[in-house]
């Protein structure tokens, strides 16, 4: 795991080739193996590989989602908040675990924040995505994860560049 973390960077440019079905199956398994608080399993995942839909989803907010139209796969991470009060944590864990699994398969990925983001002044990103994908109204959305074969290779962060002052021992 530490070797994967040492390599991990967000990837926003992808090759156009699609992801092999066996790799998609592993990504699905990673999502479903994500732990949830009290095992209440509030999440739902919508896998999108339809290029027209990906293009529509890439417009979910003004900044920071446009690159989804160049990805062969997007995973919309949703939850039913009525099922668990800490659904945000559950969805965040699933989001990062699928990103790390993608990396382990030679794929790149980037998180697209949806919760608390706006499509425009009147419409939230969530409302826009809900309409685009016909999601039921009880679901709320945390993130979308863009995944594909990388077409850019950001440099790994060096050990000497880590914010080591953020680690505290036995109190502040
Ligand atoms: C909670 C969260 C939300 C993020 N939202 C976006 C986003 O909406 N668009 C985007 O391009 N990157 C997004 N990112 C990626 C971050 O910008 C990126 O992780 C950060 O700049 C560090 O770069 P690195 O991942 O290459 O180390 C998000 C990352 C996290 C953890």
């Amino acid at each position: 795991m530490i070797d994967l973390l040492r390599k991990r960077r967000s990837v926003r440019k992808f090759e156009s080739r699609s992801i092999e079905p066996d790799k998609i199956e592993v990504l699905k398994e990673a999502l479903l193996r994500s732990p949830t608080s009290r095992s209440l399993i509030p999440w739902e995942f919508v896998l999108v590989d339809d290029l027209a839909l990906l293009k529509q989803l890439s417009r979910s907010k003004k900044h920071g989602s446009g690159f989804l139209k160049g990805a062969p796969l997007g995973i919309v991470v949703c939850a039913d908040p009525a099922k668990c009060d800490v659904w945000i944590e559950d969805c965040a864990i699933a989001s990062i675990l699928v990103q790390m699994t993608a990396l382990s398969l030679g794929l790149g990925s980037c998180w697209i924040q949806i919760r608390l983001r706006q499509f425009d002044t009147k419409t939230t990103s969530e409302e826009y995505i809900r309409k685009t994908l016909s999601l039921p109204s009880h679901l709320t959305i945390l993130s979308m994860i863009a995944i594909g074969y990388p077409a850019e290779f950001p440099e790994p962060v060096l050990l000497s560049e880590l914010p080591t002052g953020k680690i505290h021992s036995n109190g502040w």
Side-chain angles (χ1 to χ4, degrees):
M1 185 56 138
I2 193 66
D3 288 335
L4 281 178
L5 285 169
R6 283 175 179 149
K7 284 196 289 191
R8 191 214 57 78
R9 292 297 311 277
S10 296
V11 169
R12 299 179 179 84
K13 283 189 184 145
F14 305 97
E15 292 183 7
S16 56
R17 67 174 153 138
S18 47
I19 302 170
E20 297 84 342
D22 57 320
K23 291 195 177 182
I24 303 271
E25 288 308 307
V26 177
L27 294 175
K28 287 186 201 167
E29 184 181 342
L31 291 167
L32 298 176
R33 287 190 184 281
S34 302
T36 62
S37 171
R38 289 174 283 155
S39 294
L40 292 173
I41 313 183
W43 31 240
E44 305 278 343
F45 307 105
V46 183
L47 272 65
V48 179
D49 61 4
D50 179 281
L51 296 184
L53 274 179
L54 286 166
K55 195 170 177 185
Q56 275 178 270
L57 293 176
S58 75
R59 301 191 191 109
S60 297
K61 52 185 191 171
K62 221 181 204 167
H63 304 287
S65 61
F67 57 88
L68 185 60
K69 67 174 174 293
L73 178 68
I75 300 176
V76 183
V77 181
C78 326
D80 178 355
K83 284 202 173 137
C84 182
D85 55 351
V86 293
W87 65 271
I88 297 175
E89 288 84 341
D90 292 338
C91 284
I93 289 167
S95 298
I96 193 66
L97 284 180
V98 80
Q99 286 197 268
M100 295 309 295
T101 305
L103 180 60
S104 77
L105 297 171
L107 300 162
S109 71
C110 188
W111 181 309
I112 298 169
Q113 181 66 22
I114 298 303
R115 193 179 75 88
L116 305 179
R117 296 293 178 262
Q118 289 293 125
F119 169 72
D120 61 20
T121 49
K122 288 192 192 123
T123 311
T124 64
S125 300
E126 174 175 287
E127 286 164 345
Y128 172 78
I129 295 168
R130 182 178 293 122
K131 199 169 167 202
T132 304
L133 298 177
S134 310
L135 297 181
S137 59
H138 69 280
L139 290 185
T140 191
I141 306 170
L142 180 81
S143 65
M144 298 193 290
I145 309 297
I147 305 182
Y149 281 98
E152 65 171 356
F153 300 89
E155 285 296 313
V157 175
L158 296 174
L159 189 61
S160 59
E161 293 170 327
L162 296 181
T164 48
K166 294 286 187 184
I167 306 276
H168 309 275
S169 298
N170 300 319
W172 192 254

